[in-house]
């Protein structure tokens, strides 16, 4: 089943390769969507994938895909699935 989520990651997640590492994981798992920095220091992710891949993705970003980052919290909510996503982008 295809699912989509908006994910907010807080901690030391900007300027430490978190977005780049997130993209690598997303590409390996076949996740579609995007990741970007927010002015409040958080990283936002909109991701879409089959439910098993999404579970793996959430688990991997929760422990920080970058060795220099520190994840303090990960909050997510379901969003509508989009037919227009074809890849995962870093913004």
């Amino acid at each position: 089943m295809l699912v989509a989520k908006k994910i907010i990651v807080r901690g030391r997640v900007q300027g430490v390769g978190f977005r780049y590492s997130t993209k690598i994981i997303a590409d390996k798992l076949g996740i579609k969507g995007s990741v970007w920095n927010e002015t409040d220091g958080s990283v936002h992710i909109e991701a879409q994938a089959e439910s098993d891949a999404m579970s793996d993705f959430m688990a991997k970003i929760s422990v920080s895909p970058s060795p220099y980052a520190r994840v303090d919290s990960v909050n997510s909510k379901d969003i509508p699935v989009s037919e227009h996503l074809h890849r995962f982008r870093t913004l």
Side-chain angles (χ1 to χ4, degrees):
M1 175 180 191
L2 197 59
V3 296
K5 294 194 177 285
K6 180 170 186 169
I7 306 161
I8 301 171
V9 184
R10 297 187 188 285
R12 192 177 74 194
V13 291
Q14 289 191 9
V16 290
F18 185 86
R19 289 179 303 148
Y20 175 76
S21 299
T22 297
K23 180 171 178 7
I24 291 171
I25 291 169
D27 289 345
K28 286 182 182 177
L29 294 173
I31 306 287
K32 311 296 185 218
S34 55
V35 59
W36 66 93
N37 288 337
E38 286 290 346
T39 57
D40 66 359
S42 66
V43 168
H44 284 216
I45 304 166
E46 287 189 0
Q48 180 172 294
E50 293 295 327
S51 58
D52 289 345
M54 184 65 75
S55 294
D56 287 348
F57 181 69
M58 294 290 295
K60 290 178 189 300
I61 64 168
S62 294
V63 295
S64 181
S66 167
Y68 305 107
R70 183 191 73 249
V71 173
D72 294 337
S73 69
V74 178
N75 296 303
S76 68
K77 70 176 187 174
D78 293 335
I79 58 174
V81 170
S82 171
E83 296 180 18
H84 303 291
L85 296 177
H86 303 290
R87 62 186 174 106
F88 194 87
R89 301 179 311 152
T90 302
L91 306 175

